[in-house]
Amino acid sequence: MEKAFVAQRVAKKLFVTEAAVDGALAEASELMSEMLKARKDVNASMVFADDAAVKMVEAIKALSEARTAMVGVHNELNEAKLRLGIRTKLGVENKSFLGEEAAPTVMREVG
């Protein structure tokens, strides 16, 4: 099988995994926010369910560390792709920092 297509298959899984980690981090953050609002809504003291809040912060920290690790995986796989001599764009959609979607990049041979 051509190396570029193998790399593309791996890249697709990488992007799905990155999105899953980001999604989990966002959901966990929203849960923490809801927990804080709920405590306030029921007029409970700051110490109420503090152990749960501490655990939630630990979970968010772990997800943040997982996200950092995935960035490292992404960089390492990019280096591996270059070492294999693959110089193609892998057909993924480019997104700007602000979340605006650009036109999808088509896989093509370079140089």
Side-chain angles (χ1 to χ4, degrees):
M1 183 174 263
E2 193 171 328
K3 289 189 272 187
F5 292 112
V6 173
Q8 184 177 31
R9 188 180 71 220
V10 172
K12 285 181 181 178
K13 284 293 184 187
L14 172 66
F15 302 142
V16 167
T17 304
E18 288 173 337
V21 171
D22 272 352
L25 183 56
E27 290 294 329
S29 298
E30 289 176 16
L31 174 57
M32 183 67 183
S33 178
E34 285 300 320
M35 289 167 56
L36 294 172
K37 287 177 192 172
R39 185 198 53 80
K40 191 173 180 182
D41 289 347
V42 298
N43 221 13
S45 74
M46 287 286 287
V47 296
F48 180 78
D50 185 58
D51 289 343
V54 169
K55 292 290 184 190
M56 197 67 233
V57 169
E58 290 172 3
I60 290 169
K61 181 178 184 249
L63 287 167
S64 177
E65 290 170 357
R67 186 181 189 285
T68 299
M70 289 308 304
V71 169
V73 169
H74 188 118
N75 292 334
E76 290 294 326
L77 288 175
N78 191 51
E79 287 296 318
K81 176 188 78 159
L82 295 175
R83 282 195 309 269
L84 288 172
I86 302 168
R87 304 265 189 263
T88 58
K89 295 289 182 180
L90 297 176
V92 297
E93 289 186 8
N94 294 324
K95 294 187 179 181
S96 74
F97 181 70
L98 299 175
E100 300 165 353
E101 290 188 27
T105 305
V106 184
M107 191 163 98
R108 59 186 170 82
E109 199 63 38
V110 176

